[in-house]
Amino acid sequence: MKAQDLKIIFMGTPEFAVSSLRQLVENKLNVVAVVSPPDRPAGRGHKLQASAVKKYALTENIPVLQPEKMKDPIFLEELRAYQADLFIVVAFRMLPKEAWQMPAMGTFNLHGSLLPQYRGAAPINRAIMNGEKHTGVTSFFIDEKIDTGSILMKTECSIGENETAGELHDKMMLIGAKLVVKTVEKIAEGNIEAQRQENFYDNATELNEAPKIFKEDCKIDWNQDVSVVHNHIRGLSPYPAAWSKLIDSNTNKELVVKIFQTSISSEKIQDQEPGTVISDGKTQLYVACKNGFIAVHELQMAGKKRIKIADFLRGFSIEKNNKFES
């Protein structure tokens, strides 16, 4: 069977998923419908906003289903009426068994890690936060547990030493889209063997998880090793963003600062207490960590825009008693 002969239903929400849907369309694969969340209020005017996936689907005249509840019998009946051969899920909510078991050729998901590593909601962030040098994308058949189904295909990619989660996200979005198309082609050919995730590790293998990230997870601990702090910041950039409180010990005033881009400094600076700020007042700002210094390149003060460090220093005077909370 040719891939173009398959009737496909695609399920997704954000821009990350749009790339995969676009690849399917541009490769002339038969996407008969798209499933995406209902429009939600957004922005200052709280106007209803469609998901990125829905917006793209409408430009290609693909029917869009938007269930409030995935177990809604009416929605499931609509889904069944398409008689799709294959469902594809990219960056979407958890599916009930009634849905993912529906197509004859199964339902596969694209995940932003090399499974079984980094199962969970934040695989891109967590890989960088843990200092990984490599990661990748995996296509796998969905089963009853989250991210545990049998693996179909993988593609690896490297992580640069200063690469942020946002930069890696955009790179993996394109890699993942190509993998989705390859996976469909292999399934159509009947030329793919799904492998249990247990085949990829043994009792000595440590499995890293990728749980959802909360605000407190984003707080910077300057007492950590300088590489740990650097990985923490870039792994949360640009969203949800690492943050710390800048304190003026003369007045005890606190300023919440989000930090987006850093590097590990090679400058020879005398050891300082973690959180200590050193700056030339013009273009450079360093923060002391456990055994080194972080050079801060981009940050954002509460209620302000994200700016380069030189712009920050033009409008904010760093005093000797300024210090990040450690």
Side-chain angles (χ1 to χ4, degrees):
M1 180 182 290
K2 293 182 179 179
Q4 288 77 8
D5 296 330
L6 297 182
K7 291 166 62 175
I8 296 168
I9 289 181
F10 184 89
M11 304 183 184
T13 305
E15 199 63 41
F16 188 90
V18 173
S19 185
S20 293
L21 179 56
R22 182 181 289 112
Q23 279 289 308
L24 292 169
V25 171
E26 291 180 355
N27 280 274
K28 311 297 183 187
L29 298 177
N30 185 21
V31 181
V32 296
V34 158
V35 181
S36 206
D39 298 357
R40 303 293 187 197
R44 290 184 179 179
H46 298 286
K47 293 182 179 179
L48 289 178
Q49 292 287 331
S51 72
V53 163
K54 177 185 175 180
K55 289 176 182 177
Y56 176 76
L58 294 178
T59 67
E60 298 295 332
N61 297 313
I62 303 171
V64 179
L65 306 179
Q66 295 180 273
E68 280 286 353
K69 297 180 180 179
M70 296 297 290
K71 289 186 177 182
D72 182 341
I74 295 175
F75 162 67
L76 291 173
E77 198 53 46
E78 280 185 289
L79 206 57
R80 194 174 288 109
Y82 280 99
Q83 297 183 325
D85 301 295
L86 182 69
F87 290 174
I88 300 172
V89 180
V90 181
F92 194 59
R93 67 182 91 170
M94 188 174 180
L95 299 187
K97 191 173 182 178
E98 299 94 316
W100 59 259
Q101 280 194 333
M102 199 177 288
M105 291 187 168
T107 299
F108 80 82
N109 186 24
L110 178 73
H111 188 70
S113 78
L114 298 173
L115 290 173
Q117 295 291 352
Y118 294 102
R119 295 170 178 153
I124 295 175
N125 304 90
R126 296 288 184 182
I128 294 179
M129 291 166 76
N130 285 348
E132 300 287 1
K133 300 292 190 293
H134 294 87
T135 186
V137 287
T138 305
S139 57
F140 69 97
F141 278 132
I142 288 179
D143 64 11
E144 295 186 30
K145 295 181 180 179
I146 296 175
D147 300 336
T148 61
S150 295
I151 290 171
L152 296 166
M153 300 184 75
K154 293 184 181 186
T155 302
E156 292 190 21
C157 68
S158 61
I159 303 175
E161 64 180 52
N162 293 319
E163 192 166 15
T164 65
E167 291 164 343
L168 181 59
H169 167 282
D170 292 349
K171 184 165 72 177
M172 291 173 65
M173 179 171 68
L174 301 177
I175 294 170
K178 292 178 181 178
L179 185 67
V180 164
V181 173
K182 287 180 183 177
T183 302
V184 173
E185 290 171 347
K186 292 292 184 182
I187 289 173
E189 293 167 5
N191 190 25
I192 194 165
E193 182 182 349
Q195 299 184 62
R196 291 169 56 84
Q197 292 196 26
E198 288 80 357
N199 295 344
F200 291 86
Y201 62 91
D202 53 35
N203 292 333
T205 303
E206 181 181 352
L207 290 183
N208 293 297
E209 299 295 329
K212 184 178 179 180
I213 294 170
F214 296 93
K215 183 180 179 181
E216 278 306 305
D217 298 325
C218 301
K219 189 175 182 180
I220 301 168
D221 181 359
W222 301 102
N223 293 294
Q224 297 270 17
D225 182 276
V226 65
S227 62
V228 173
V229 174
H230 177 53
N231 293 339
H232 181 82
I233 292 169
R234 65 195 184 95
L236 295 167
S237 176
Y239 183 82
W243 63 273
S244 186
K245 290 180 181 177
L246 183 59
I247 301 170
D248 185 334
S249 59
N250 288 326
T251 63
N252 285 325
K253 285 185 177 180
E254 296 180 350
L255 178 68
V256 175
V257 177
K258 291 181 178 180
I259 300 178
F260 296 95
Q261 191 171 32
T262 58
S263 60
I264 296 174
S265 175
S266 59
E267 294 286 331
K268 300 297 181 183
I269 307 173
Q270 186 177 354
D271 287 348
Q272 298 282 345
E273 185 179 342
T276 300
V277 178
I278 295 175
S279 174
D280 64 357
K282 297 178 181 179
T283 60
Q284 297 173 331
L285 187 148
Y286 304 99
V287 186
C289 301
K290 179 181 176 182
N291 61 344
F293 285 81
I294 286 289
V296 178
H297 303 300
E298 288 188 37
L299 51 69
Q300 180 180 18
M301 294 180 288
K304 304 292 184 179
K305 292 182 179 180
R306 174 177 170 175
I307 54 175
K308 301 285 187 182
I309 198 64
D311 296 324
F312 170 73
L313 292 172
R314 270 196 288 271
F316 190 93
S317 178
I318 295 292
E319 306 292 340
K320 287 184 179 180
N321 290 320
N322 286 154
K323 185 173 185 280
F324 279 108
E325 184 178 69
S326 58

